[in-house]
Amino acid sequence: MDQTDSHILAELSKNSRITMKELGGKVHLTGQAAASRVAKLEDTGVIEGYSIKINQSKLGCFMHTFITISTNTHNHQPLLSYIKKQEHYIINNYKISGDGCYLLECRFPSNEHVDQFLVGLSEHANYKLSIVIKKE
């Protein structure tokens, strides 16, 4: 990986829908050469995939939360099954070290939905809820 590859990654991070011709112009390559570089970055696993960024608030999910989960048992399967059933609220689920076993990043449409989720969660584990006030 060289400086041109780094520049390609930076440009694709800004806009993954850019045409290879436009990308080539930005990194001083032909479109075909840029496409070849991108293909190589994909083949080697540097680029794992492409995604979209969704504005959850515009979809009605106004409550942005982080939930630190702690369990008192080594059998996490019932907890993980509950989380899987609630995946429509979960943006990210991280297994962590330190304070807690898992960190969930969630979006909910209302306080009532948060409460319902937490009632179900409390059947499987203890938790600490943090509500996002503003993204800096």
Side-chain angles (χ1 to χ4, degrees):
M1 182 143 147
D2 60 15
Q3 191 170 3
T4 301
D5 288 336
S6 294
H7 196 186
I8 287 171
L9 293 175
E11 291 299 328
L12 287 174
S13 294
K14 291 180 205 169
N15 178 8
S16 62
R17 294 183 56 163
I18 191 171
T19 67
M20 290 300 113
K21 182 177 178 180
E22 291 171 310
L23 177 62
K26 290 181 179 278
V27 299
H28 309 293
L29 295 172
T30 65
Q32 187 175 16
S36 177
R37 290 271 193 137
V38 169
K40 184 177 176 188
L41 290 167
E42 291 170 344
D43 291 343
T44 59
V46 173
I47 296 175
E48 294 180 338
Y50 300 88
S51 64
I52 60 172
K53 185 176 177 182
I54 298 171
N55 184 324
Q56 293 289 332
S57 293
K58 295 204 182 222
L59 294 178
C61 292
F62 303 104
M63 300 292 300
H64 189 185
T65 66
F66 288 89
I67 304 169
T68 304
I69 300 173
S70 301
T71 62
N72 294 328
T73 177
H74 294 296
N75 181 10
H76 294 184
Q77 199 51 51
L79 168 66
L80 295 173
S81 293
Y82 174 75
I83 289 171
K84 181 72 174 165
K85 289 176 188 167
Q86 302 297 319
E87 68 184 1
H88 52 284
Y89 296 126
I90 298 169
I91 297 171
N92 290 300
N93 177 7
Y94 302 102
K95 186 170 186 175
I96 60 171
S97 65
D99 294 334
C101 302
Y102 298 92
L103 177 65
L104 301 182
E105 180 181 9
C106 303
R107 295 298 294 243
F108 298 95
S110 68
N111 284 335
E112 291 79 19
H113 286 89
V114 174
D115 185 53
Q116 289 171 0
F117 179 85
L118 295 176
V119 167
L121 181 62
S122 67
E123 295 177 15
H124 304 285
N126 296 318
Y127 63 85
K128 183 177 87 175
L129 173 69
S130 297
I131 297 175
V132 174
I133 304 299
K134 180 173 124 180
K135 183 177 177 183
E136 298 288 338

